[in-house]
Amino acid sequence: MAIAQQVADQQSLFTDDLLYFVLRLRKSRIRSVAERVRRMYPDESPEQQARRLIASTSAISFAAGGLVHAPAAVPGFGIVYEGLGFVAGASILTRMHLYLILEIALLFGKDIDQSERVTELVAVVAACAASAAAPVAIAMTLNPAFAVPAGALAATAATRAIGESAIRRYKRSTAPEAATAPAPA
């Protein structure tokens, strides 16, 4: 039993280090955003509140996704800087989406300190890398000017896919809890 607890504690420390040291996510900011959404929309379900976060993040994703790929639209040297757009875009959007998924987790009553979040965040990183790579591929193969709208659309699509996937996952995992809860007297 002591070994199992020691492994669980190590996993927890690893999770904490990964999320909040390496990725520099701030728990207090994540919790304050989720709490603010709950206060602003107290009559809405966690799903409706999560969709508000998704909508807000989608607007930022659209702007950031287009902006970081803007250098590709400059004739000549712009394509050289498209690699920088990929790195910047992937970095910015990944961090923003990591916050989004953790905020949604809190809205559904999930513990953001659980090691279970690590696998979810790995999926977010993969989705963000794919959405940042798409505009680079378009700039290299089609027309560099297409990288800007492709970046905006890819980032927005990633936001919506990540957010909706989180809603489905957290709804599914909280449904049995709701079903087993005693009925009010």
Side-chain angles (χ1 to χ4, degrees):
M1 184 67 165
I3 293 173
Q5 184 59 44
Q6 191 175 32
V7 170
D9 289 345
Q10 286 175 338
Q11 180 70 26
S12 178
L13 290 173
F14 169 78
T15 302
D16 201 45
D17 286 345
L18 176 68
L19 299 181
Y20 307 109
F21 178 72
V22 175
L23 297 175
R24 302 188 51 82
L25 299 179
R26 294 176 297 163
K27 294 179 196 179
S28 60
R29 189 241 179 229
I30 293 165
R31 288 186 175 108
S32 71
V33 168
E35 189 53 42
R36 182 169 181 236
V37 169
R38 283 188 188 121
R39 275 195 321 271
M40 290 174 68
Y41 308 101
D43 298 331
E44 291 185 351
S45 69
E47 182 177 349
Q48 291 169 315
Q49 293 169 342
R51 288 215 166 85
R52 289 189 180 274
L53 287 172
I54 295 167
S56 174
T57 304
S58 292
I60 296 167
S61 291
F62 184 82
L67 186 61
V68 298
H69 294 287
V74 178
F77 77 94
I79 199 70
V80 173
Y81 292 104
E82 181 57 16
L84 181 62
F86 170 74
V87 172
S91 167
I92 292 166
L93 295 170
T94 298
R95 187 174 166 126
M96 182 172 55
H97 290 113
L98 292 173
Y99 274 89
L100 174 66
I101 197 165
L102 292 171
E103 291 161 357
I104 293 172
L106 285 174
L107 291 175
F108 280 88
K110 301 299 175 190
D111 182 358
I112 62 172
D113 292 322
Q114 282 185 323
S115 61
E116 188 177 319
R117 301 290 82 81
V118 174
T119 54
E120 296 164 358
L121 297 178
V122 168
V124 169
V125 171
C128 290
S131 76
V136 175
I138 288 172
M140 300 281 203
T141 57
L142 296 175
N143 183 333
F146 294 158
V148 176
L153 295 173
T156 304
T159 300
R160 294 199 180 278
I162 289 166
E164 290 299 326
S165 176
I167 289 171
R168 282 190 306 276
R169 178 179 171 90
Y170 299 140
K171 265 177 71 170
R172 239 188 350 259
S173 68
T174 55
E177 295 167 16
T180 59

